Amino acid sequence: MNYGYQVGGCLPENAPTYVVRQADADLFEGIIRGEFCYVFNSRQMGKSSLRVRTMQKLKERGFACAVVDLLQVGSSCMSCKQWYAAFAYEIARRLNLLSKVNLFEWWSERSNLHPDEHLTLFIREILLKDVRGQIVIFVDEIDSVLSLGFKVDEFFGFIRSCYELRQIYPEYHRLTWVLLGVATPDELVCDRAKDPFNFGREIHLSGFQPHECEVLIEGLTPHAEHPKRVLYEIFRWTGGQPFLTQKLCQLVARSKEMIGSGEEAKFIEQLVRSQILDNWEMYDDPPHLRAIRDRILESPQSQKLVETYWHLLELGEIPIDRSPEQMGLRLAGLVVKANIGHKFAQPVLKVYNRIYWVVFNRKWVEKQVNVEQILEPTFPRDNRQKLFDRVLQWSLRARSPQHFIRWFDLVFIQGDITVDRGVAKIISSLVSTETCEDFSKILNRCCYIVINAWQTRPLYKIRIPDFISIFRQVKITISNESDLPHVRQLRKFISHFTNTGEYLSLEFLFGRRLDSDLDLEQLGRNIEDELSRYNFLSFCFVYESQGSIENRRNFNEILRERQWRFANELYQYSKHLADRQNPENRLRYKNPTLLEDLALVKAFQEFQLGKNKAKEFFASSHSSFFNVYLDFKKSLFQYLISDLYIHSIEFKKRFLSELEDYILKIHPEADRKKPNNLLVMNTCQTTLDYLLADPENERHIYLSNFLANLGSLPLMVMLVKTILISTPTKSDLEYRVFRLVERYKADPFDPDHWLVESLENLNIGFTVGFTPIDFPEF
């Protein structure tokens, strides 16, 4: 069974393997708002399928949609007038206007008009008069205009005019244009006055993301014991590239073998090598790898494209500069943008996936160009980036940590311009242009560059405290009159940095000691300030740090006091929520959570119910109720899913089946033994692996699926119920959440964000479950 996996071409409207991406929502929203939209990307990324699915949704809303495929409109041998006439004819044909107007006769009567004026008149006198409601025109294969024998600036100027004329003719508000193709705005338009892209909305069509691909799993299910692991291994090779992902799924679905548990990686690698990589230039069908090769080698800039790609292979990544060479590689589909690199602290280009890396490797490049003649790359970088790069280079290449610390001290603290004139020049420039606060951020970034580079090198890691402490020396090396002006300013900036929350955090995390006069409560406010409301995260933060035992003990006391304060505030507010006779009394107390009252009451109900269930289960597990470990696992499953409501019947069936299967497979060798505390604890920890896998674990890709179908509160309730029957696992859960926050805290402090909602629910669950306070019943 193929399950509808389609390799190449456009997916039908109701294809079961269509993967909904962020671009679907962005394009639909842009069209609904009447914006000029364009989707430019490499081939075989799903542009046409996106168009088909969007048109289906628009038609359901009553929109009139037309598709103009420019490959069918004409060829390079057509004159300008012929091409415009063919373009108008295609619109009229798609919208069933040919039966209402003799377009050939109408067009001939106005032969004295310029072609773009002709088209404008067609829109105003025919299209907008004869078609009711909203109209959307999709122009596909827009890059084909580059092969026409005349300038096409007027055509894009015509599209721009359709939006400018909205001020004069309100009817134009009904008309929306969408362009799709393999091109860049700079390639298409030379005259900026006629450029519609400077006010248009670019739709970013990225590859598949793991959490979006639930629809691909169903076709893999008959062929694997763990189809999700198979999909994960496919992603490891394709990076989510749509064509390759669909192709590998199709190959698995056509395979007659059953992929056993633990065999997923080996099977997919063998499949990739035998069906895609071996003799790819001969057997690449439909053409994909050959299409990438041909687009690069047949380009007029092929030499520069290959040279740029060689630089990328040598460095692993290159900073984005929007040069024609980089854009050519992106449109070929060989490389993809990453928001931040490993070597460069800015957006970079990297090879899209592992398959491309194997095919288009150094040997392939060496066949195309003489690599010995390729010049070293020069990347445009501002002074900040130059400084970050030099610090990273020195931190990695210094012959010892003491050697680097000495260099950093002389250049950054002492302001010695003779040690490294290049870095000294950069610092002098930054000191003269940056504010005190901005320079502190630069220093903080430099510190973390060094720390990250040294964390995995034991001999260097132990010297991190020595590195952090050198900033305090600025108090000793007070500026004197003989110092250069920029050196005096530099020391003022460093002195300011040592009093910021960023440096206090660095000192607490990585320093050997804290000053005796340091206000620990102020430190508690500075460290991870926006997340400090969650005490369980702060405890993890302390144990991740390298502060002294005494400082940890003092900080823990502050956290415990804060924890009890929160519990008391939550108790007082819950009493007044429960007092329905005097609702006005609630105004006297502030809600200590970020949840609305209804959500807070629901959380109380769920966690109180879970706590009561845990008491019953705990009593059973410590009696003779469970004769063998297998009985304990069966009861654990029933305990976790009791009172669990799941709206989606399909997801409920799949989730419960997988969870039960997962729990029953924990330590099968002990099934006939009597359960003990160690076995119970290990079982709970393994169950946490399923519900909240570490961000580095392959199972973590299913977290978004759990949140979408279970919801934040039910998932948090299951987590708390798990640790309530084995309290030693509480620290394990706290650390897992800490790792989750480290992974997703880029923006998290929007109260509607799933991460904040989850943390708030978990904070309530810990308070209800692990404090002796009797909260009122709701």
PDB file of all heavy atoms in Angstrom, residues 527-553:
ATOM      1  N   ILE A 527      19.017  36.588  38.619  1.00  0.00           N
ATOM      2  CA  ILE A 527      19.226  35.333  37.898  1.00  0.00           C
ATOM      3  C   ILE A 527      17.933  34.891  37.239  1.00  0.00           C
ATOM      4  O   ILE A 527      16.936  34.656  37.902  1.00  0.00           O
ATOM      5  CB  ILE A 527      19.752  34.246  38.854  1.00  0.00           C
ATOM      6  CG1 ILE A 527      21.140  34.650  39.370  1.00  0.00           C
ATOM      7  CG2 ILE A 527      19.824  32.901  38.165  1.00  0.00           C
ATOM      8  CD1 ILE A 527      21.664  33.726  40.424  1.00  0.00           C
ATOM      9  N   GLU A 528      17.971  34.767  35.911  1.00  0.00           N
ATOM     10  CA  GLU A 528      16.810  34.294  35.162  1.00  0.00           C
ATOM     11  C   GLU A 528      15.548  34.996  35.645  1.00  0.00           C
ATOM     12  O   GLU A 528      14.545  34.372  35.990  1.00  0.00           O
ATOM     13  CB  GLU A 528      16.660  32.772  35.323  1.00  0.00           C
ATOM     14  CG  GLU A 528      17.858  31.980  34.852  1.00  0.00           C
ATOM     15  CD  GLU A 528      18.032  32.043  33.356  1.00  0.00           C
ATOM     16  OE1 GLU A 528      17.033  32.258  32.650  1.00  0.00           O
ATOM     17  OE2 GLU A 528      19.145  31.887  32.889  1.00  0.00           O
ATOM     18  N   ASP A 529      15.601  36.332  35.674  1.00  0.00           N
ATOM     19  CA  ASP A 529      14.591  37.111  36.373  1.00  0.00           C
ATOM     20  C   ASP A 529      13.178  36.778  35.922  1.00  0.00           C
ATOM     21  O   ASP A 529      12.277  36.611  36.719  1.00  0.00           O
ATOM     22  CB  ASP A 529      14.879  38.602  36.155  1.00  0.00           C
ATOM     23  CG  ASP A 529      13.951  39.474  36.961  1.00  0.00           C
ATOM     24  OD1 ASP A 529      13.853  39.248  38.182  1.00  0.00           O
ATOM     25  OD2 ASP A 529      13.313  40.354  36.369  1.00  0.00           O
ATOM     26  N   GLU A 530      12.977  36.647  34.609  1.00  0.00           N
ATOM     27  CA  GLU A 530      11.616  36.453  34.126  1.00  0.00           C
ATOM     28  C   GLU A 530      11.052  35.091  34.494  1.00  0.00           C
ATOM     29  O   GLU A 530       9.849  34.877  34.487  1.00  0.00           O
ATOM     30  CB  GLU A 530      11.568  36.658  32.615  1.00  0.00           C
ATOM     31  CG  GLU A 530      12.355  35.644  31.833  1.00  0.00           C
ATOM     32  CD  GLU A 530      12.291  35.912  30.353  1.00  0.00           C
ATOM     33  OE1 GLU A 530      11.816  36.983  29.953  1.00  0.00           O
ATOM     34  OE2 GLU A 530      12.721  35.024  29.607  1.00  0.00           O
ATOM     35  N   LEU A 531      11.937  34.121  34.821  1.00  0.00           N
ATOM     36  CA  LEU A 531      11.475  32.789  35.188  1.00  0.00           C
ATOM     37  C   LEU A 531      11.650  32.495  36.673  1.00  0.00           C
ATOM     38  O   LEU A 531      11.438  31.377  37.120  1.00  0.00           O
ATOM     39  CB  LEU A 531      12.232  31.731  34.364  1.00  0.00           C
ATOM     40  CG  LEU A 531      11.956  31.794  32.865  1.00  0.00           C
ATOM     41  CD1 LEU A 531      12.942  30.922  32.110  1.00  0.00           C
ATOM     42  CD2 LEU A 531      10.539  31.380  32.542  1.00  0.00           C
ATOM     43  N   SER A 532      12.062  33.503  37.461  1.00  0.00           N
ATOM     44  CA  SER A 532      12.355  33.268  38.873  1.00  0.00           C
ATOM     45  C   SER A 532      11.099  32.979  39.681  1.00  0.00           C
ATOM     46  O   SER A 532      11.205  32.556  40.826  1.00  0.00           O
ATOM     47  CB  SER A 532      13.087  34.485  39.459  1.00  0.00           C
ATOM     48  OG  SER A 532      12.254  35.636  39.413  1.00  0.00           O
ATOM     49  N   ARG A 533       9.900  33.212  39.139  1.00  0.00           N
ATOM     50  CA  ARG A 533       8.668  32.917  39.857  1.00  0.00           C
ATOM     51  C   ARG A 533       8.484  31.416  40.058  1.00  0.00           C
ATOM     52  O   ARG A 533       7.694  30.988  40.893  1.00  0.00           O
ATOM     53  CB  ARG A 533       7.463  33.512  39.151  1.00  0.00           C
ATOM     54  CG  ARG A 533       7.223  32.968  37.761  1.00  0.00           C
ATOM     55  CD  ARG A 533       6.064  33.650  37.050  1.00  0.00           C
ATOM     56  NE  ARG A 533       4.779  33.238  37.587  1.00  0.00           N
ATOM     57  CZ  ARG A 533       3.998  34.002  38.324  1.00  0.00           C
ATOM     58  NH1 ARG A 533       4.388  35.226  38.634  1.00  0.00           N
ATOM     59  NH2 ARG A 533       2.838  33.563  38.773  1.00  0.00           N
ATOM     60  N   TYR A 534       9.206  30.611  39.302  1.00  0.00           N
ATOM     61  CA  TYR A 534       9.069  29.164  39.400  1.00  0.00           C
ATOM     62  C   TYR A 534      10.230  28.611  40.235  1.00  0.00           C
ATOM     63  O   TYR A 534      11.348  28.449  39.738  1.00  0.00           O
ATOM     64  CB  TYR A 534       9.045  28.529  38.011  1.00  0.00           C
ATOM     65  CG  TYR A 534       8.005  29.173  37.110  1.00  0.00           C
ATOM     66  CD1 TYR A 534       8.371  29.890  35.982  1.00  0.00           C
ATOM     67  CD2 TYR A 534       6.649  29.092  37.427  1.00  0.00           C
ATOM     68  CE1 TYR A 534       7.423  30.485  35.177  1.00  0.00           C
ATOM     69  CE2 TYR A 534       5.689  29.690  36.624  1.00  0.00           C
ATOM     70  CZ  TYR A 534       6.084  30.389  35.506  1.00  0.00           C
ATOM     71  OH  TYR A 534       5.142  30.984  34.713  1.00  0.00           O
ATOM     72  N   ASN A 535       9.935  28.295  41.491  1.00  0.00           N
ATOM     73  CA  ASN A 535      11.001  27.894  42.410  1.00  0.00           C
ATOM     74  C   ASN A 535      11.667  26.594  41.987  1.00  0.00           C
ATOM     75  O   ASN A 535      12.856  26.399  42.209  1.00  0.00           O
ATOM     76  CB  ASN A 535      10.427  27.746  43.824  1.00  0.00           C
ATOM     77  CG  ASN A 535       9.971  29.077  44.394  1.00  0.00           C
ATOM     78  OD1 ASN A 535      10.772  29.966  44.591  1.00  0.00           O
ATOM     79  ND2 ASN A 535       8.676  29.215  44.636  1.00  0.00           N
ATOM     80  N   PHE A 536      10.905  25.686  41.387  1.00  0.00           N
ATOM     81  CA  PHE A 536      11.502  24.418  40.984  1.00  0.00           C
ATOM     82  C   PHE A 536      12.560  24.612  39.909  1.00  0.00           C
ATOM     83  O   PHE A 536      13.517  23.850  39.816  1.00  0.00           O
ATOM     84  CB  PHE A 536      10.432  23.419  40.519  1.00  0.00           C
ATOM     85  CG  PHE A 536       9.506  23.939  39.456  1.00  0.00           C
ATOM     86  CD1 PHE A 536       9.822  23.803  38.127  1.00  0.00           C
ATOM     87  CD2 PHE A 536       8.307  24.560  39.799  1.00  0.00           C
ATOM     88  CE1 PHE A 536       8.968  24.266  37.140  1.00  0.00           C
ATOM     89  CE2 PHE A 536       7.444  25.027  38.816  1.00  0.00           C
ATOM     90  CZ  PHE A 536       7.775  24.887  37.480  1.00  0.00           C
ATOM     91  N   LEU A 537      12.423  25.683  39.086  1.00  0.00           N
ATOM     92  CA  LEU A 537      13.459  25.992  38.113  1.00  0.00           C
ATOM     93  C   LEU A 537      14.675  26.588  38.792  1.00  0.00           C
ATOM     94  O   LEU A 537      15.818  26.307  38.427  1.00  0.00           O
ATOM     95  CB  LEU A 537      12.929  26.974  37.057  1.00  0.00           C
ATOM     96  CG  LEU A 537      11.865  26.460  36.102  1.00  0.00           C
ATOM     97  CD1 LEU A 537      11.524  27.539  35.092  1.00  0.00           C
ATOM     98  CD2 LEU A 537      12.321  25.202  35.395  1.00  0.00           C
ATOM     99  N   SER A 538      14.448  27.416  39.805  1.00  0.00           N
ATOM    100  CA  SER A 538      15.550  28.060  40.504  1.00  0.00           C
ATOM    101  C   SER A 538      16.407  27.031  41.231  1.00  0.00           C
ATOM    102  O   SER A 538      17.635  27.141  41.282  1.00  0.00           O
ATOM    103  CB  SER A 538      15.009  29.095  41.496  1.00  0.00           C
ATOM    104  OG  SER A 538      14.245  30.079  40.833  1.00  0.00           O
ATOM    105  N   PHE A 539      15.785  26.013  41.819  1.00  0.00           N
ATOM    106  CA  PHE A 539      16.547  24.959  42.478  1.00  0.00           C
ATOM    107  C   PHE A 539      17.463  24.256  41.472  1.00  0.00           C
ATOM    108  O   PHE A 539      18.629  23.993  41.757  1.00  0.00           O
ATOM    109  CB  PHE A 539      15.608  23.933  43.123  1.00  0.00           C
ATOM    110  CG  PHE A 539      15.072  24.359  44.460  1.00  0.00           C
ATOM    111  CD1 PHE A 539      13.720  24.552  44.659  1.00  0.00           C
ATOM    112  CD2 PHE A 539      15.934  24.577  45.525  1.00  0.00           C
ATOM    113  CE1 PHE A 539      13.219  24.949  45.884  1.00  0.00           C
ATOM    114  CE2 PHE A 539      15.440  24.968  46.757  1.00  0.00           C
ATOM    115  CZ  PHE A 539      14.088  25.156  46.945  1.00  0.00           C
ATOM    116  N   CYS A 540      16.915  23.962  40.294  1.00  0.00           N
ATOM    117  CA  CYS A 540      17.739  23.330  39.256  1.00  0.00           C
ATOM    118  C   CYS A 540      18.874  24.245  38.836  1.00  0.00           C
ATOM    119  O   CYS A 540      20.000  23.816  38.598  1.00  0.00           O
ATOM    120  CB  CYS A 540      16.892  22.982  38.036  1.00  0.00           C
ATOM    121  SG  CYS A 540      15.681  21.695  38.343  1.00  0.00           S
ATOM    122  N   PHE A 541      18.565  25.531  38.757  1.00  0.00           N
ATOM    123  CA  PHE A 541      19.558  26.522  38.366  1.00  0.00           C
ATOM    124  C   PHE A 541      20.723  26.510  39.347  1.00  0.00           C
ATOM    125  O   PHE A 541      21.886  26.554  38.972  1.00  0.00           O
ATOM    126  CB  PHE A 541      18.891  27.898  38.323  1.00  0.00           C
ATOM    127  CG  PHE A 541      19.854  29.036  38.138  1.00  0.00           C
ATOM    128  CD1 PHE A 541      20.351  29.327  36.888  1.00  0.00           C
ATOM    129  CD2 PHE A 541      20.269  29.786  39.218  1.00  0.00           C
ATOM    130  CE1 PHE A 541      21.241  30.362  36.721  1.00  0.00           C
ATOM    131  CE2 PHE A 541      21.154  30.812  39.052  1.00  0.00           C
ATOM    132  CZ  PHE A 541      21.650  31.108  37.795  1.00  0.00           C
ATOM    133  N   VAL A 542      20.420  26.412  40.635  1.00  0.00           N
ATOM    134  CA  VAL A 542      21.461  26.396  41.663  1.00  0.00           C
ATOM    135  C   VAL A 542      22.350  25.169  41.496  1.00  0.00           C
ATOM    136  O   VAL A 542      23.571  25.245  41.525  1.00  0.00           O
ATOM    137  CB  VAL A 542      20.831  26.423  43.076  1.00  0.00           C
ATOM    138  CG1 VAL A 542      21.893  26.168  44.129  1.00  0.00           C
ATOM    139  CG2 VAL A 542      20.165  27.763  43.321  1.00  0.00           C
ATOM    140  N   TYR A 543      21.737  24.001  41.271  1.00  0.00           N
ATOM    141  CA  TYR A 543      22.527  22.778  41.197  1.00  0.00           C
ATOM    142  C   TYR A 543      23.252  22.639  39.869  1.00  0.00           C
ATOM    143  O   TYR A 543      24.185  21.854  39.766  1.00  0.00           O
ATOM    144  CB  TYR A 543      21.642  21.558  41.478  1.00  0.00           C
ATOM    145  CG  TYR A 543      21.288  21.478  42.938  1.00  0.00           C
ATOM    146  CD1 TYR A 543      20.021  21.853  43.382  1.00  0.00           C
ATOM    147  CD2 TYR A 543      22.225  21.094  43.883  1.00  0.00           C
ATOM    148  CE1 TYR A 543      19.697  21.818  44.733  1.00  0.00           C
ATOM    149  CE2 TYR A 543      21.919  21.057  45.225  1.00  0.00           C
ATOM    150  CZ  TYR A 543      20.649  21.416  45.657  1.00  0.00           C
ATOM    151  OH  TYR A 543      20.338  21.394  46.982  1.00  0.00           O
ATOM    152  N   GLU A 544      22.848  23.399  38.870  1.00  0.00           N
ATOM    153  CA  GLU A 544      23.607  23.434  37.631  1.00  0.00           C
ATOM    154  C   GLU A 544      24.830  24.332  37.769  1.00  0.00           C
ATOM    155  O   GLU A 544      25.762  24.248  36.988  1.00  0.00           O
ATOM    156  CB  GLU A 544      22.730  23.980  36.486  1.00  0.00           C
ATOM    157  CG  GLU A 544      21.821  22.952  35.878  1.00  0.00           C
ATOM    158  CD  GLU A 544      22.568  22.040  34.953  1.00  0.00           C
ATOM    159  OE1 GLU A 544      22.905  22.457  33.837  1.00  0.00           O
ATOM    160  OE2 GLU A 544      22.830  20.904  35.364  1.00  0.00           O
ATOM    161  N   SER A 545      24.810  25.240  38.731  1.00  0.00           N
ATOM    162  CA  SER A 545      25.868  26.230  38.880  1.00  0.00           C
ATOM    163  C   SER A 545      27.081  25.629  39.572  1.00  0.00           C
ATOM    164  O   SER A 545      27.066  24.514  40.067  1.00  0.00           O
ATOM    165  CB  SER A 545      25.348  27.411  39.696  1.00  0.00           C
ATOM    166  OG  SER A 545      25.184  27.026  41.044  1.00  0.00           O
ATOM    167  N   GLN A 546      28.162  26.437  39.635  1.00  0.00           N
ATOM    168  CA  GLN A 546      29.375  26.007  40.297  1.00  0.00           C
ATOM    169  C   GLN A 546      29.676  26.890  41.504  1.00  0.00           C
ATOM    170  O   GLN A 546      30.821  27.088  41.883  1.00  0.00           O
ATOM    171  CB  GLN A 546      30.549  26.045  39.314  1.00  0.00           C
ATOM    172  CG  GLN A 546      30.358  25.108  38.135  1.00  0.00           C
ATOM    173  CD  GLN A 546      31.492  25.207  37.146  1.00  0.00           C
ATOM    174  OE1 GLN A 546      32.418  25.972  37.314  1.00  0.00           O
ATOM    175  NE2 GLN A 546      31.407  24.407  36.106  1.00  0.00           N
ATOM    176  N   GLY A 547      28.651  27.483  42.092  1.00  0.00           N
ATOM    177  CA  GLY A 547      28.861  28.310  43.268  1.00  0.00           C
ATOM    178  C   GLY A 547      29.291  27.470  44.459  1.00  0.00           C
ATOM    179  O   GLY A 547      29.181  26.250  44.471  1.00  0.00           O
ATOM    180  N   SER A 548      29.802  28.135  45.501  1.00  0.00           N
ATOM    181  CA  SER A 548      30.255  27.414  46.682  1.00  0.00           C
ATOM    182  C   SER A 548      29.073  26.785  47.402  1.00  0.00           C
ATOM    183  O   SER A 548      27.919  27.183  47.230  1.00  0.00           O
ATOM    184  CB  SER A 548      30.994  28.375  47.615  1.00  0.00           C
ATOM    185  OG  SER A 548      30.084  29.321  48.141  1.00  0.00           O
ATOM    186  N   ILE A 549      29.391  25.813  48.291  1.00  0.00           N
ATOM    187  CA  ILE A 549      28.344  25.131  49.049  1.00  0.00           C
ATOM    188  C   ILE A 549      27.612  26.118  49.937  1.00  0.00           C
ATOM    189  O   ILE A 549      26.377  26.083  50.065  1.00  0.00           O
ATOM    190  CB  ILE A 549      28.960  23.993  49.886  1.00  0.00           C
ATOM    191  CG1 ILE A 549      29.535  22.917  48.957  1.00  0.00           C
ATOM    192  CG2 ILE A 549      27.933  23.388  50.829  1.00  0.00           C
ATOM    193  CD1 ILE A 549      30.254  21.799  49.674  1.00  0.00           C
ATOM    194  N   GLU A 550      28.356  27.037  50.525  1.00  0.00           N
ATOM    195  CA  GLU A 550      27.720  28.019  51.422  1.00  0.00           C
ATOM    196  C   GLU A 550      26.767  28.917  50.643  1.00  0.00           C
ATOM    197  O   GLU A 550      25.644  29.187  51.089  1.00  0.00           O
ATOM    198  CB  GLU A 550      28.792  28.861  52.101  1.00  0.00           C
ATOM    199  CG  GLU A 550      28.211  29.905  53.053  1.00  0.00           C
ATOM    200  CD  GLU A 550      29.290  30.771  53.669  1.00  0.00           C
ATOM    201  OE1 GLU A 550      30.481  30.519  53.394  1.00  0.00           O
ATOM    202  OE2 GLU A 550      28.938  31.699  54.416  1.00  0.00           O
ATOM    203  N   ASN A 551      27.181  29.361  49.479  1.00  0.00           N
ATOM    204  CA  ASN A 551      26.313  30.228  48.684  1.00  0.00           C
ATOM    205  C   ASN A 551      25.075  29.489  48.203  1.00  0.00           C
ATOM    206  O   ASN A 551      23.980  30.043  48.157  1.00  0.00           O
ATOM    207  CB  ASN A 551      27.080  30.781  47.477  1.00  0.00           C
ATOM    208  CG  ASN A 551      28.067  31.854  47.885  1.00  0.00           C
ATOM    209  OD1 ASN A 551      27.796  32.619  48.803  1.00  0.00           O
ATOM    210  ND2 ASN A 551      29.215  31.880  47.229  1.00  0.00           N
ATOM    211  N   ARG A 552      25.230  28.212  47.867  1.00  0.00           N
ATOM    212  CA  ARG A 552      24.065  27.432  47.458  1.00  0.00           C
ATOM    213  C   ARG A 552      23.084  27.287  48.618  1.00  0.00           C
ATOM    214  O   ARG A 552      21.874  27.390  48.440  1.00  0.00           O
ATOM    215  CB  ARG A 552      24.499  26.042  46.991  1.00  0.00           C
ATOM    216  CG  ARG A 552      25.295  26.028  45.699  1.00  0.00           C
ATOM    217  CD  ARG A 552      25.470  24.601  45.245  1.00  0.00           C
ATOM    218  NE  ARG A 552      26.398  24.502  44.128  1.00  0.00           N
ATOM    219  CZ  ARG A 552      26.627  23.386  43.467  1.00  0.00           C
ATOM    220  NH1 ARG A 552      25.978  22.288  43.786  1.00  0.00           N
ATOM    221  NH2 ARG A 552      27.480  23.346  42.471  1.00  0.00           N
ATOM    222  N   ARG A 553      23.636  27.045  49.801  1.00  0.00           N
ATOM    223  CA  ARG A 553      22.780  26.876  50.970  1.00  0.00           C
ATOM    224  C   ARG A 553      22.000  28.157  51.255  1.00  0.00           C
ATOM    225  O   ARG A 553      20.783  28.126  51.501  1.00  0.00           O
ATOM    226  CB  ARG A 553      23.630  26.499  52.183  1.00  0.00           C
ATOM    227  CG  ARG A 553      22.806  26.144  53.415  1.00  0.00           C
ATOM    228  CD  ARG A 553      23.697  25.835  54.607  1.00  0.00           C
ATOM    229  NE  ARG A 553      24.573  24.709  54.324  1.00  0.00           N
ATOM    230  CZ  ARG A 553      25.904  24.792  54.279  1.00  0.00           C
ATOM    231  NH1 ARG A 553      26.489  25.957  54.483  1.00  0.00           N
ATOM    232  NH2 ARG A 553      26.631  23.729  54.018  1.00  0.00           N
TER     233      ARG A 553
END
